[in-house]
PDB file of all heavy atoms in Angstrom:
ATOM      1  N   LEU A1281      24.711  -6.857  26.757  1.00  0.00           N
ATOM      2  CA  LEU A1281      24.383  -7.461  28.040  1.00  0.00           C
ATOM      3  C   LEU A1281      23.735  -8.762  27.716  1.00  0.00           C
ATOM      4  O   LEU A1281      23.134  -8.926  26.836  1.00  0.00           O
ATOM      5  CB  LEU A1281      23.268  -6.536  28.694  1.00  0.00           C
ATOM      6  CG  LEU A1281      23.621  -5.151  29.118  1.00  0.00           C
ATOM      7  CD1 LEU A1281      22.482  -4.555  29.915  1.00  0.00           C
ATOM      8  CD2 LEU A1281      24.906  -4.823  29.719  1.00  0.00           C
ATOM      9  N   ASN A1282      24.003  -9.704  28.680  1.00  0.00           N
ATOM     10  CA  ASN A1282      23.443 -11.108  28.400  1.00  0.00           C
ATOM     11  C   ASN A1282      22.227 -11.260  29.456  1.00  0.00           C
ATOM     12  O   ASN A1282      22.076 -10.619  30.483  1.00  0.00           O
ATOM     13  CB  ASN A1282      24.472 -12.168  28.690  1.00  0.00           C
ATOM     14  CG  ASN A1282      24.697 -12.341  30.176  1.00  0.00           C
ATOM     15  OD1 ASN A1282      24.649 -11.461  31.020  1.00  0.00           O
ATOM     16  ND2 ASN A1282      25.000 -13.627  30.638  1.00  0.00           N
ATOM     17  N   HIS A1283      21.279 -12.100  28.987  1.00  0.00           N
ATOM     18  CA  HIS A1283      19.948 -12.079  29.668  1.00  0.00           C
ATOM     19  C   HIS A1283      20.007 -12.914  30.935  1.00  0.00           C
ATOM     20  O   HIS A1283      19.129 -12.944  31.703  1.00  0.00           O
ATOM     21  CB  HIS A1283      19.050 -12.760  28.723  1.00  0.00           C
ATOM     22  CG  HIS A1283      19.163 -14.221  28.503  1.00  0.00           C
ATOM     23  ND1 HIS A1283      20.278 -14.828  28.265  1.00  0.00           N
ATOM     24  CD2 HIS A1283      18.302 -15.283  28.639  1.00  0.00           C
ATOM     25  CE1 HIS A1283      20.202 -16.135  28.010  1.00  0.00           C
ATOM     26  NE2 HIS A1283      18.953 -16.418  28.341  1.00  0.00           N
ATOM     27  N   VAL A1284      21.118 -13.677  31.286  1.00  0.00           N
ATOM     28  CA  VAL A1284      21.227 -14.358  32.446  1.00  0.00           C
ATOM     29  C   VAL A1284      21.528 -13.498  33.646  1.00  0.00           C
ATOM     30  O   VAL A1284      20.901 -13.586  34.679  1.00  0.00           O
ATOM     31  CB  VAL A1284      22.173 -15.609  32.342  1.00  0.00           C
ATOM     32  CG1 VAL A1284      22.201 -16.424  33.580  1.00  0.00           C
ATOM     33  CG2 VAL A1284      21.690 -16.537  31.092  1.00  0.00           C
ATOM     34  N   THR A1285      22.564 -12.749  33.557  1.00  0.00           N
ATOM     35  CA  THR A1285      22.975 -11.951  34.602  1.00  0.00           C
ATOM     36  C   THR A1285      22.794 -10.470  34.488  1.00  0.00           C
ATOM     37  O   THR A1285      22.963  -9.758  35.300  1.00  0.00           O
ATOM     38  CB  THR A1285      24.554 -12.057  34.827  1.00  0.00           C
ATOM     39  OG1 THR A1285      25.260 -11.684  33.657  1.00  0.00           O
ATOM     40  CG2 THR A1285      24.924 -13.622  35.103  1.00  0.00           C
ATOM     41  N   TRP A1286      22.343 -10.098  33.229  1.00  0.00           N
ATOM     42  CA  TRP A1286      22.208  -8.726  32.811  1.00  0.00           C
ATOM     43  C   TRP A1286      23.468  -7.838  33.142  1.00  0.00           C
ATOM     44  O   TRP A1286      23.402  -6.748  33.544  1.00  0.00           O
ATOM     45  CB  TRP A1286      21.051  -8.118  33.498  1.00  0.00           C
ATOM     46  CG  TRP A1286      19.744  -8.836  33.253  1.00  0.00           C
ATOM     47  CD1 TRP A1286      19.044  -9.499  34.110  1.00  0.00           C
ATOM     48  CD2 TRP A1286      19.064  -8.896  32.012  1.00  0.00           C
ATOM     49  NE1 TRP A1286      17.804 -10.001  33.525  1.00  0.00           N
ATOM     50  CE2 TRP A1286      17.927  -9.670  32.221  1.00  0.00           C
ATOM     51  CE3 TRP A1286      19.369  -8.379  30.747  1.00  0.00           C
ATOM     52  CZ2 TRP A1286      17.031  -9.896  31.158  1.00  0.00           C
ATOM     53  CZ3 TRP A1286      18.477  -8.752  29.787  1.00  0.00           C
ATOM     54  CH2 TRP A1286      17.324  -9.410  29.868  1.00  0.00           C
ATOM     55  N   LYS A1287      24.574  -8.565  32.858  1.00  0.00           N
ATOM     56  CA  LYS A1287      25.786  -7.772  32.965  1.00  0.00           C
ATOM     57  C   LYS A1287      26.439  -7.656  31.607  1.00  0.00           C
ATOM     58  O   LYS A1287      26.130  -8.355  30.721  1.00  0.00           O
ATOM     59  CB  LYS A1287      26.834  -8.583  33.952  1.00  0.00           C
ATOM     60  CG  LYS A1287      26.360  -8.681  35.334  1.00  0.00           C
ATOM     61  CD  LYS A1287      27.255  -7.894  36.311  1.00  0.00           C
ATOM     62  CE  LYS A1287      26.914  -8.164  37.739  1.00  0.00           C
ATOM     63  NZ  LYS A1287      25.539  -7.853  38.180  1.00  0.00           N
ATOM     64  N   LYS A1288      27.312  -6.663  31.540  1.00  0.00           N
ATOM     65  CA  LYS A1288      27.983  -6.521  30.224  1.00  0.00           C
ATOM     66  C   LYS A1288      28.960  -7.709  29.915  1.00  0.00           C
ATOM     67  O   LYS A1288      29.718  -8.089  30.729  1.00  0.00           O
ATOM     68  CB  LYS A1288      28.822  -5.243  30.225  1.00  0.00           C
ATOM     69  CG  LYS A1288      29.528  -4.984  29.002  1.00  0.00           C
ATOM     70  CD  LYS A1288      30.381  -3.761  29.002  1.00  0.00           C
ATOM     71  CE  LYS A1288      31.653  -4.104  29.695  1.00  0.00           C
ATOM     72  NZ  LYS A1288      32.714  -2.963  29.505  1.00  0.00           N
ATOM     73  N   ILE A1289      28.900  -8.329  28.802  1.00  0.00           N
ATOM     74  CA  ILE A1289      29.720  -9.382  28.453  1.00  0.00           C
ATOM     75  C   ILE A1289      30.803  -8.801  27.426  1.00  0.00           C
ATOM     76  O   ILE A1289      31.805  -9.472  27.389  1.00  0.00           O
ATOM     77  CB  ILE A1289      28.924 -10.613  27.807  1.00  0.00           C
ATOM     78  CG1 ILE A1289      28.019 -10.254  26.666  1.00  0.00           C
ATOM     79  CG2 ILE A1289      28.216 -11.388  28.742  1.00  0.00           C
ATOM     80  CD1 ILE A1289      27.444 -11.365  25.946  1.00  0.00           C
ATOM     81  N   THR A1290      30.660  -7.856  26.691  1.00  0.00           N
ATOM     82  CA  THR A1290      31.598  -7.422  25.810  1.00  0.00           C
ATOM     83  C   THR A1290      31.225  -5.945  25.419  1.00  0.00           C
ATOM     84  O   THR A1290      30.019  -5.505  25.480  1.00  0.00           O
ATOM     85  CB  THR A1290      31.765  -8.152  24.557  1.00  0.00           C
ATOM     86  OG1 THR A1290      32.850  -7.779  23.830  1.00  0.00           O
ATOM     87  CG2 THR A1290      30.501  -8.249  23.721  1.00  0.00           C
ATOM     88  N   GLU A1291      32.289  -5.335  24.907  1.00  0.00           N
ATOM     89  CA  GLU A1291      32.029  -3.969  24.367  1.00  0.00           C
ATOM     90  C   GLU A1291      32.557  -3.909  22.940  1.00  0.00           C
ATOM     91  O   GLU A1291      33.589  -4.526  22.653  1.00  0.00           O
ATOM     92  CB  GLU A1291      32.978  -3.084  25.091  1.00  0.00           C
ATOM     93  CG  GLU A1291      32.355  -1.972  25.875  1.00  0.00           C
ATOM     94  CD  GLU A1291      33.179  -1.215  26.731  1.00  0.00           C
ATOM     95  OE1 GLU A1291      34.412  -0.778  26.190  1.00  0.00           O
ATOM     96  OE2 GLU A1291      33.053  -1.020  27.904  1.00  0.00           O
ATOM     97  N   PHE A1292      31.823  -3.238  22.082  1.00  0.00           N
ATOM     98  CA  PHE A1292      32.247  -3.298  20.754  1.00  0.00           C
ATOM     99  C   PHE A1292      32.818  -1.712  20.528  1.00  0.00           C
ATOM    100  O   PHE A1292      31.886  -0.869  20.696  1.00  0.00           O
ATOM    101  CB  PHE A1292      31.285  -3.629  19.830  1.00  0.00           C
ATOM    102  CG  PHE A1292      30.837  -5.113  19.734  1.00  0.00           C
ATOM    103  CD1 PHE A1292      29.459  -5.350  19.399  1.00  0.00           C
ATOM    104  CD2 PHE A1292      31.916  -5.983  19.905  1.00  0.00           C
ATOM    105  CE1 PHE A1292      29.249  -6.707  19.397  1.00  0.00           C
ATOM    106  CE2 PHE A1292      31.513  -7.377  19.765  1.00  0.00           C
ATOM    107  CZ  PHE A1292      30.199  -7.734  19.580  1.00  0.00           C
ATOM    108  N   GLU A1293      33.955  -1.605  20.051  1.00  0.00           N
ATOM    109  CA  GLU A1293      34.374  -0.202  19.791  1.00  0.00           C
ATOM    110  C   GLU A1293      34.332   0.050  18.279  1.00  0.00           C
ATOM    111  O   GLU A1293      34.457  -0.865  17.522  1.00  0.00           O
ATOM    112  CB  GLU A1293      35.915  -0.051  20.199  1.00  0.00           C
ATOM    113  CG  GLU A1293      35.993   0.103  21.672  1.00  0.00           C
ATOM    114  CD  GLU A1293      37.310   0.691  22.146  1.00  0.00           C
ATOM    115  OE1 GLU A1293      37.966   1.147  21.257  1.00  0.00           O
ATOM    116  OE2 GLU A1293      37.639   0.574  23.222  1.00  0.00           O
TER     117      GLU A1293
END
Side-chain angles (χ1 to χ4, degrees):
Chain A
L1281 310 182
N1282 76 326
H1283 74 307
V1284 180
T1285 58
W1286 300 115
K1287 294 242 187 311
K1288 177 183 89 169
I1289 51 174
T1290 182
E1291 239 177 49
F1292 290 148
E1293 282 197 17

